[in-house]
């Protein structure tokens, strides 16, 4: 599937996105085969062009940050966290000096708390690679303020859908809400052709869920474990790469969802979705 263009217009609210962030710093190093991540990288480079206008800020929900309560980066200049291991030395020198947004972080904490979700700011926490690796491609100038919101350690899909619902109004403030993860994430499955059909079946189910009516979408996503091959694609207790989708789906409100990218990487199907 090729990149799809989101509806653009002066009065359009910001969409929400669930994007694949690849494997570690994969877009900025040699890989075997060399073109394994090229199509995904091209997709990410084109995301900004589909938006109605440049966002005033970005809220990023990354698979690589879990806390016992929803936690929000609140520092003015968060440092980068190179939370990948065994990659070439130059990948630990990658930079993405995007500013934080303390006022927005405070608003998010208050909004989540008012909605009944335990939340807290963290002025010391930096930006992990689930944030800076894809954003280096989407917004390479690093000039848009970014706030990261953690996942909850429970990985409860309903909790994350409800958190997204609480944040929906941010879209009317020109805040872009992005979930950064992977639609398939089983480390034993990557590169194994036996997982190809499994990932295909799960991806087809996930696409149907995303593209269903909002009420049905929430019901299906809240019960994603019932999907074909669900636990082969996201092993028990390791579904953190799927859960950011729940938050951006919740923030979609009544807006339609659709698949906008899909590719075969390391024998598995990986997809991206947008709402709005």
């Amino acid at each position: 599937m090729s990149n799809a263009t989101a509806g653009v217009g002066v009065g359009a609210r910001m969409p929400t996105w669930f994007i694949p962030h690849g494997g570690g710093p994969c877009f900025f190093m040699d890989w075997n085969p060399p073109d394994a991540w090229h199509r995904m990288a091209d997709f990410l480079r084109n995301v900004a062009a589909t938006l109605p206008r440049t966002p005033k800020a970005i809220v990023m929900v990354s698979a690589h940050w879990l806390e016992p309560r929803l936690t929000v980066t609140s520092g003015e200049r968060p440092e980068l966290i190179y939370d990948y291991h065994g990659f070439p030395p130059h990948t630990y020198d990658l930079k993405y000096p995007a500013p934080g947004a303390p006022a927005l972080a405070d608003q998010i904490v208050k909004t989540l708390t008012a909605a009944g979700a335990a939340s807290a700011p963290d002025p010391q926490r930096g930006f992990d690679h689930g944030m800076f690796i894809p954003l280096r491609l989407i917004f390479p100038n690093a000039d848009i303020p970014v706030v990261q919101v953690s996942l909850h350690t429970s990985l409860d899909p309903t909790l994350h859908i409800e958190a997204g619902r609480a944040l929906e109004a941010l879209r009317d403030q020109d805040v872009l809400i992005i979930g950064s993860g992977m639609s398939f994430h089983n480390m034993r499955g990557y590169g194994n052709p036996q997982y190809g059909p499994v990932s295909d079946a799960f991806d087809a189910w996930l696409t149907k869920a995303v593209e269903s009516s909002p009420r049905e979408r929430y019901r299906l996503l809240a019960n994603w474990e019932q999907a074909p091959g669900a636990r082969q694609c996201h092993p028990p207790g390791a579904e953190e790469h799927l859960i950011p989708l729940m938050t951006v789906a919740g923030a979609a409100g009544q807006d339609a969802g659709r698949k906008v990218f899909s590719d075969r990487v390391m024998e598995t199907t990986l997809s991206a979705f947008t709402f709005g």
Side-chain angles (χ1 to χ4, degrees):
M1 177 179 295
S2 61
N3 298 352
T5 301
V8 296
V10 174
R13 72 194 316 214
M14 282 291 158
T16 68
W17 284 79
F18 175 74
I19 59 169
H21 61 227
C26 60
F27 308 120
F28 305 100
M29 57 178 284
D30 294 333
W31 204 274
N32 185 20
D35 64 348
W37 301 101
H38 286 185
R39 288 171 292 278
M40 189 179 294
D42 287 342
F43 160 73
L44 292 171
R45 290 188 184 99
N46 286 317
V47 165
T50 72
L51 302 176
R53 57 201 156 271
T54 302
K56 292 181 179 177
I58 298 166
V59 170
M60 174 72 79
V61 182
S62 166
H64 289 275
W65 187 20
L66 285 76
E67 296 285 352
R69 55 183 173 176
L70 297 176
T71 308
V72 184
T73 59
S74 59
E76 292 187 358
R77 288 283 174 181
E79 297 182 352
L80 298 190
I81 302 171
Y82 299 93
D83 53 341
Y84 40 75
H85 307 284
F87 290 94
H90 77 270
T91 63
Y92 298 91
D93 293 325
L94 295 171
K95 304 301 180 187
Y96 195 74
L104 176 59
D106 181 66
Q107 178 185 353
I108 291 170
V109 170
K110 290 178 178 176
T111 299
L112 290 172
T113 301
S119 181
D122 187 340
Q124 304 302 321
R125 215 274 179 176
F127 294 142
D128 61 59
H129 83 273
M131 174 277 200
F132 71 84
I133 291 298
L135 286 190
R136 277 178 60 92
L137 296 175
I138 300 172
F139 298 107
N141 292 334
D143 55 358
I144 300 174
V146 181
V147 170
Q148 272 198 237
V149 178
S150 78
L151 299 177
H152 190 275
T153 49
S154 68
L155 298 176
D156 180 347
T158 299
L159 182 154
H160 291 89
I161 291 170
E162 293 301 323
R165 281 176 164 166
L167 299 178
E168 179 186 358
L170 293 177
R171 298 169 56 201
D172 297 313
Q173 302 173 30
D174 279 353
V175 174
L176 176 63
I177 301 174
I178 301 176
S180 174
M182 298 283 268
S183 58
F184 175 98
H185 193 71
N186 182 338
M187 299 305 293
R188 294 184 177 183
Y190 289 129
N192 184 341
Q194 293 182 351
Y195 279 82
V198 176
S199 70
D200 290 341
F202 181 74
D203 190 82
W205 181 93
L206 198 60
T207 301
K208 180 180 179 181
V210 164
E211 296 182 351
S212 295
S213 66
R215 183 174 181 178
E216 180 69 357
R217 178 169 75 214
Y218 299 144
R219 185 189 71 80
L220 291 170
L221 292 179
N223 296 282
W224 72 271
E225 292 178 80
Q226 299 177 12
R231 281 308 186 182
Q232 291 174 276
C233 297
H234 297 278
E239 62 263 37
E240 73 285 339
H241 277 70
L242 180 66
I243 297 301
L245 172 62
M246 311 308 170
T247 304
V248 299
Q254 297 300 304
D255 290 341
R258 64 193 184 283
K259 178 157 68 177
V260 288
F261 170 80
S262 194
D263 192 22
R264 196 74 153 189
V265 182
M266 294 188 296
E267 305 291 348
T268 62
T269 296
L270 299 172
S271 296
F273 304 92
T274 190
F275 303 85

